Amino acid sequence: KAGVTQTPRYLIKTRGQQVTLSCSPISGHRSVSWYQQTPGQGLQFLFEYFSETQRNKGNFPGRFSGRQFSNSRSEMNVSTLELGDSALYLCASRTGGQETQYFGPGTRLLVL
Amino acid sequence: QKEVEQDPGPLSVPEGAIVSLNCTYSNSAFQYFMWYRQYSRKGPELLMYTYSSGNKEDGRFTAQVDKSSKYISLFIRDSQPSDSATYLCAMSRTGNQFYFGTGTSLTVIP
């Protein structure tokens, strides 16, 4: 079974721009979660989507948004990029119940 | 105070050593506990998953949960150079939202 895939793997943007990241979950998984990983803060939860609806949300500003499509693929958008948004963005999928999740390789975003 | 605290290391041990990795947490409602391994430039991969207290063993890896002390551990026996990675602990109250430690960097020297 194919794992979680994320595109693009690397991205360079400048302050003020916006960016869209994509995540394709494991086949059959209906839940997709997004995380931001930085050296200082570690993995921080952004939000979770299940069956096209946002089910949980972390403590990030409204510049961070997401959506999920009917095929469970998910996108995350960050508007008005700031230098501090430079990070590894990871998505993770699971079937949707109370079990653990499987991570993709991440998208490394650098904001200049 | 962070929900989950983890010593970032780095930790360096000789091959064959027993490694002990630890996390503490503040939320007594956590009941799902996980350990992930993350190699450089890769996403985290699940190593161990435990519900509530107790021990769980899988090959060279043993996970321990002490809910009374709000303390979890991962032990690696007979450590190998291929174990060199960052180890992340994670926990959840409901199984829906997960809180991660910042990770401990481990190097196993041949």
Side-chain angles (χ1 to χ4, degrees):
Chain A
K1 196 183 255 190
V4 178
T5 58
Q6 291 186 246
T7 57
R9 293 294 310 279
Y10 302 94
L11 209 48
I12 299 175
K13 293 285 187 180
T14 55
R15 276 183 302 172
Q17 287 188 308
Q18 75 164 19
V19 66
T20 299
L21 312 181
S22 180
C23 172
S24 291
I26 292 171
S27 177
H29 286 191
R30 295 164 63 192
S31 164
V32 173
S33 294
W34 289 90
Y35 293 85
Q36 181 193 67
Q37 187 176 33
T38 58
Q41 297 296 318
L43 264 164
Q44 292 185 283
F45 174 74
L46 282 153
F47 30 66
E48 179 196 15
Y49 284 87
F50 177 77
S51 293
E52 302 179 65
T53 301
Q54 189 178 87
R55 185 159 72 170
N56 290 294
K57 189 178 189 302
N59 296 322
F60 276 79
R63 300 186 296 108
F64 293 82
S65 63
R67 58 177 176 168
Q68 186 179 34
F69 302 96
S70 58
N71 62 357
S72 294
R73 189 177 71 84
S74 178
E75 287 182 348
M76 190 192 87
N77 185 76
V78 188
S79 63
T80 320
L81 283 166
E82 300 177 359
L83 295 179
D85 296 333
S86 295
L88 179 67
Y89 290 88
L90 292 157
C91 83
S93 78
R94 56 190 176 127
T95 59
Q98 291 176 337
E99 80 293 355
T100 194
Q101 51 197 336
Y102 297 86
F103 283 87
T107 294
R108 190 165 296 276
L109 171 65
L110 177 61
V111 182
L112 301 175
Chain B
Q1 185 188 4
K2 282 190 171 182
E3 298 262 15
V4 181
E5 299 280 356
Q6 184 175 10
D7 186 340
L11 190 60
S12 185
V13 302
E15 184 175 353
I18 296 175
V19 176
S20 172
L21 304 166
N22 312 294
C23 287
T24 59
Y25 60 94
S26 57
N27 190 340
S28 58
F30 285 147
Q31 51 184 347
Y32 299 87
F33 303 93
M34 289 134 281
W35 284 95
Y36 286 84
R37 177 175 61 195
Q38 186 175 22
Y39 291 114
S40 180
R41 302 192 178 281
K42 301 276 190 180
E45 60 174 318
L46 179 69
L47 278 177
M48 302 288 280
Y49 179 74
T50 310
Y51 174 73
S52 193
S53 280
N55 295 356
K56 187 172 183 179
E57 189 173 319
D58 185 1
R60 297 184 295 112
F61 299 90
T62 300
Q64 287 185 351
V65 176
D66 182 350
K67 292 187 73 177
S68 62
S69 301
K70 297 189 192 131
Y71 188 87
I72 68 171
S73 300
L74 176 71
F75 297 95
I76 307 174
R77 290 184 300 280
D78 187 26
S79 56
Q80 303 294 309
S82 58
D83 295 328
S84 298
T86 296
Y87 289 81
L88 299 157
C89 63
M91 42 200 83
S92 173
R93 182 176 58 85
T94 62
N96 284 323
Q97 189 163 343
F98 299 86
Y99 296 86
F100 284 78
T102 51
T104 299
S105 175
L106 170 67
T107 300
V108 180
I109 302 167

